[in-house]
Amino acid sequence: MTADTVDLMVRQMRVESAGVVSLRLEHPDGAAVDRWTPGAHLDLHLGGGLVRQYSLCGDPDDKTGYRVAVLHERAGRGGSRRVHEALRPGDSVAVSAPRNNFELIPSTRYVFIAGGIGITPILAMIGEAERAGATWELHYGGRDRTTMAFVDELERYGDRVHIVTENVDGILDLATLLGAAEPDTLVYACGPDGLLTAIESYSEVWPEGAIRLERFKAKERVADDGGDAPFRVVCEQSGVSATVSPEKTILETLEESGVNVPNSCREGFCGTCETRVLCGTPDHRDSLLTASEQESGATIMLCVSRARSDELVLDL
């Protein structure tokens, strides 16, 4: 455990579908867990330097524990294999405080779209929409029902939930769902990159900010054949300054200079290393900030983004 984490016990593990297991995490002494809001995630420190983010998919009003669900990705980076193959009830896991980069904004109507394990943050959002009396519908796609977690849990919502299986129904009909903007409606989507990229292509049809996405990994990015130029980074609070070479990220450069910056994914999608920019122009390469947030240049993800100016001054 570090100063930024607490040790929780795996109270229960449950198979939710083929390849997906949920974890119930509680304080060993029965203490209340931190408050969280729909869309939040936890960092799980899984040993050997593995830190992975998993969306909270339980009830925010339940202060006795957290629930997350993990897809077993055998070709992944190792976090899900650790959970599925090594973690067991009774084990202790260091866990961060909940963080939310996918906040559910109040609206009179929602369209929720989930692909596969992307259902996890949507579950709590549906519960919040219900409590608020909002109109909502869910379109949940997967290969087949055996691979789709929480389908039984969603049955109580009746015909507001649309289960779309590739082996029977084909893929989600995004053109029908998103081809025309609906008034007073927000779209929340989570799932594989291909689905989110397709959904993102409808952003021009909808008002800015109406389509909101969460990714589990970084967007595919076209390489810049011109290469990256070096630039200077200055930490206003600590007085540290250093040159970021083309081969290093800002985060790596600051770590080598003795500046401790909280970080997790190191791929630009979790938001842990987001830092305020005091002066200079960022070259945004993250998968989290919206177009308007990137245009403002107010913050930067240090793990992937660079600078368009010769110098960046950071609030560090």
Side-chain angles (χ1 to χ4, degrees):
M1 183 176 72
T2 71
D4 300 320
T5 63
V6 295
D7 286 336
L8 298 183
M9 177 184 294
V10 180
R11 184 68 67 185
Q12 182 185 54
M13 297 183 71
R14 173 179 165 176
V15 175
E16 302 293 351
S17 69
V20 176
V21 64
S22 65
L23 308 179
R24 169 81 181 179
L25 302 168
E26 299 179 2
H27 282 285
D29 61 2
V33 296
D34 289 341
R35 183 181 180 278
W36 59 279
T37 54
H41 70 267
L42 296 178
D43 288 349
L44 269 59
H45 296 248
L46 299 169
L50 290 174
V51 181
R52 298 292 182 266
Q53 301 78 40
Y54 298 109
S55 296
L56 285 157
C57 56
D59 181 356
D61 291 333
D62 178 8
K63 302 301 186 293
T64 64
Y66 299 127
R67 183 176 71 166
V68 298
V70 181
L71 171 67
H72 195 176
E73 297 184 272
R74 290 175 173 80
R77 297 176 297 150
S80 70
R81 292 199 304 274
R82 166 70 178 163
V83 170
H84 278 258
E85 299 172 12
L87 211 57
R88 294 294 179 264
D91 288 348
S92 179
V93 180
V95 177
S96 70
R99 291 199 309 277
N100 201 336
N101 300 311
F102 195 40
E103 195 79 46
L104 185 69
I105 297 171
S107 179
T108 57
R109 182 174 183 270
Y110 299 98
V111 175
F112 297 116
I113 303 174
I117 196 61
I119 190 61
T120 49
I122 302 298
L123 283 176
M125 291 184 173
I126 288 172
E128 182 64 22
E130 280 282 281
R131 284 188 286 270
T135 300
W136 63 269
E137 60 190 70
L138 167 66
H139 301 269
Y140 179 16
R143 291 195 307 276
D144 61 70
R145 287 181 73 95
T146 66
T147 66
M148 300 172 71
F150 305 113
V151 169
D152 293 345
E153 193 169 308
L154 291 164
E155 286 181 351
R156 68 179 183 270
Y157 297 118
D159 60 7
R160 286 177 292 176
V161 173
H162 306 272
I163 304 297
V164 180
T165 57
E166 289 184 25
N167 64 333
V168 175
D169 310 300
I171 62 175
L172 289 163
D173 185 358
L174 298 181
T176 298
L177 294 176
L178 304 176
E182 296 288 341
D184 303 316
T185 300
L186 293 180
V187 177
Y188 279 81
C190 186
D193 189 64
L195 172 65
L196 298 187
T197 299
I199 291 171
E200 199 171 32
S201 70
Y202 290 92
S203 295
E204 295 181 0
V205 178
W206 289 71
E208 183 177 355
I211 294 180
R212 311 184 72 83
L213 312 176
E214 181 172 65
R215 285 181 161 82
F216 290 137
K217 63 180 181 179
K219 285 194 258 186
E220 293 291 333
R221 188 173 173 277
V222 178
D224 182 357
D225 292 337
D228 291 320
F231 59 94
R232 195 80 178 160
V233 62
V234 177
C235 300
E236 179 76 9
Q237 294 182 34
S238 64
V240 172
S241 63
T243 297
V244 182
S245 69
E247 297 79 23
K248 298 282 186 178
T249 66
I250 301 175
L251 177 60
E252 290 169 339
T253 302
L254 292 180
E255 288 176 333
E256 291 173 358
S257 301
V259 180
N260 181 28
V261 180
N263 67 91
S264 182
C265 74
R266 302 178 82 94
E267 293 183 21
F269 64 86
C270 79
T272 307
C273 68
E274 185 174 7
T275 300
R276 195 157 69 99
V277 176
L278 302 178
C279 187
T281 305
D283 177 7
H284 294 290
R285 304 182 182 188
D286 64 273
S287 304
L288 180 62
L289 296 175
T290 64
S292 60
E293 288 170 337
Q294 290 187 346
E295 187 176 351
S296 76
T299 65
I300 186 173
M301 303 299 167
L302 301 182
C303 62
V304 291
S305 296
R306 298 184 65 81
R308 296 189 183 279
S309 52
D310 292 334
E311 183 177 273
L312 274 183
V313 181
L314 304 175
D315 189 16
L316 288 172

